[in-house]
Amino acid sequence: MKKAKVGIVGCGNISHIYFNNLSAYPEVELYACADLDVARAQARAEEFGLAKAYTVEELLNDPDIDIVVNLTIPQAHAAVCLQALAAGKHVYVEKPLAVTREEGQQILSLAKEKGLRVSGAPETFLGGGIQTCRKLIDDGAIGTPVSVAGFVIGGGHESWHPDPAFYYKLGGGPMFDMGPYYLTAFVTLLGPIRRVTGSAVISYPERTITSKPKYGEKIQVETPTLISGVMDFENGAVGTLIASFDAPGGSVLPNIEIHGSKGSLLVPDPNGFGGVVKLRRAGGDWEEIALTHDNIDNNRGIGVADMARAIAAGEPHRASGEMAYHVLEAMHGFHDASRDGKHYDMQSTCERPAPMPAVN
């Protein structure tokens, strides 16, 4: 199989694991990188032995590059995706797909017009933890799923992130930061969402940065920092998702539980690739289930490799742009429902991604 040449746009904090992992995948050749700070791109290129360190425009105009991996901040996701697609490149983008639904629709529309692929993070659902849970559900271990509950509750990023302000702008907040992991896992395990409702608030309109180097600076909060959402799935199941940056004391709630007609399933943190899976059949005790799929601690880049393989084989890729858009719409739907005081009916749907092959 011919390797797909990959160029990375955005060489910040999260990029290191992508550089490291994509250097090893047989489906791709990590070829070039770019950043608004060209010196940062040059440093990454030297570190990983890449052929090219570019400006963003130079990378997008290189005819040898097949796939652009977009690791910019959320507010730049749409612009870089659209530029890459216009230049004839397939795109993999960090979460969320875009800040607004309109931008997300533009990305999918241009990709369809150009005959190109869009893939979106998170790809953690391809890891052993979520895939083992998927297999248990598909094999009937909990019977018919009737409910799911997810909790991502903690304090804000101003206590540790070096530049946390964008987490409190449009496209930020706990829902847009962490919600994609949970909602993508929900869709993987249960299928698409039919409608949502919820309450969303800004608990603290101003935040003070206590991390370096911007210690003491103030952030004006522009997006909800506490969201309690409810989902009705197309398969009839009902879900709950609580996402908060307003609990500095933390939480002891589980990441995800799924309840069915014959048992319950404790799903590991969807922000990771592995984790502990526990099953409790009706009338029994909780038991830990051995993972049936690869258990790699941080496998970021697997979504890019899966898309490259799928392109070569003429098959659907798993972390599809349609699923990333469905998740984006649901996140906005929680905010809309809270503002309008009524359910939000989802306008999009998506295919439940194909399972990964089991190794056990």
Side-chain angles (χ1 to χ4, degrees):
M1 182 180 74
K2 178 181 177 292
K3 290 189 175 187
K5 285 191 174 183
V6 171
I8 292 179
V9 176
C11 298
N13 285 341
I14 198 172
S15 71
H16 189 274
I17 189 64
Y18 278 96
F19 278 95
N20 187 67
N21 290 353
L22 287 173
S23 298
Y25 281 113
E27 296 90 349
V28 300
E29 176 189 345
L30 186 52
Y31 176 71
C33 64
D35 195 277
L36 290 176
D37 181 348
V38 177
R40 187 156 62 177
Q42 290 170 339
R44 280 283 190 253
E46 291 174 8
E47 181 180 1
F48 289 95
L50 273 62
K52 303 285 185 180
Y54 280 145
T55 66
V56 174
E57 184 177 0
E58 287 171 341
L59 187 146
L60 296 177
N61 288 329
D62 187 332
D64 290 333
I65 293 175
D66 303 300
I67 297 173
V68 169
V69 176
N70 181 358
L71 304 182
T72 59
I73 63 172
Q75 290 77 10
H77 283 181
V80 172
C81 285
L82 290 169
Q83 290 173 49
L85 291 166
K89 319 296 187 190
H90 305 287
V91 171
Y92 178 92
V93 58
E94 250 300 334
K95 50 83 184 171
L97 174 67
V99 169
T100 69
R101 282 163 286 196
E102 292 76 16
E103 289 174 339
Q105 290 168 349
Q106 289 170 9
I107 291 168
L108 296 187
S109 177
L110 183 57
K112 183 177 181 180
E113 176 187 325
K114 294 280 191 178
L116 296 167
R117 304 280 188 112
V118 174
S119 185
E123 58 202 336
T124 47
F125 74 94
L126 299 173
I130 302 299
Q131 289 297 312
T132 298
C133 293
R134 164 75 181 263
K135 188 174 190 307
L136 287 167
I137 291 171
D138 290 352
D139 289 349
I142 63 169
T144 301
V146 296
S147 67
V148 60
F151 305 94
V152 53
I153 299 173
H157 289 20
E158 69 274 15
S159 65
W160 61 270
H161 196 281
D163 191 15
F166 74 89
Y167 285 103
Y168 296 97
K169 308 300 182 185
L170 181 65
M175 183 56 68
F176 280 77
D177 180 37
M178 296 302 298
Y181 295 105
Y182 285 75
L183 292 167
T184 301
F186 292 170
V187 172
T188 298
L189 297 171
L190 300 176
I193 303 163
R194 181 174 62 85
R195 71 175 185 177
V196 304
T197 190
S199 294
V201 298
I202 297 174
S203 299
Y204 311 111
E206 185 178 84
R207 301 269 180 153
T208 301
I209 299 175
T210 57
S211 60
K212 301 292 185 179
K214 297 190 175 182
Y215 182 89
E217 291 187 16
K218 304 294 184 181
I219 301 171
Q220 303 306 312
V221 180
E222 299 174 6
T223 193
T225 52
L226 171 59
I227 302 95
S228 182
V230 177
M231 296 147 282
D232 295 298
F233 291 85
E234 288 184 6
N235 71 352
V238 174
T240 302
L241 176 60
I242 299 177
S244 175
F245 279 171
D246 297 343
S251 169
V252 295
L253 290 165
N255 295 114
I256 299 173
E257 282 190 3
I258 299 180
H259 309 286
S261 58
K262 295 182 179 179
S264 297
L265 188 61
L266 190 62
V267 181
D269 184 355
N271 190 20
F273 287 86
V276 175
V277 174
K278 290 187 176 181
L279 172 67
R280 186 179 186 183
R281 294 176 172 86
D285 296 321
W286 286 105
E287 57 179 310
E288 185 171 337
I289 304 297
L291 298 188
T292 56
H293 292 68
D294 284 332
N295 183 19
I296 300 173
D297 286 342
N298 195 336
N299 207 11
R300 279 177 170 81
I302 189 174
V304 181
D306 181 72
M307 180 170 67
R309 178 206 55 77
I311 291 169
E315 299 172 352
H317 57 286
R318 291 176 173 86
S320 72
E322 288 74 19
M323 182 167 65
Y325 178 80
H326 190 62
V327 166
L328 175 67
E329 185 188 7
M331 294 191 296
H332 277 289
F334 293 131
H335 290 183
D336 289 359
S338 179
R339 181 194 65 216
D340 299 338
K342 61 182 182 181
H343 285 97
Y344 173 86
D345 292 318
M346 295 286 288
Q347 301 301 300
S348 70
T349 189
C350 64
E351 294 292 329
R352 191 180 178 214
M356 295 288 283
V359 295
N360 295 326

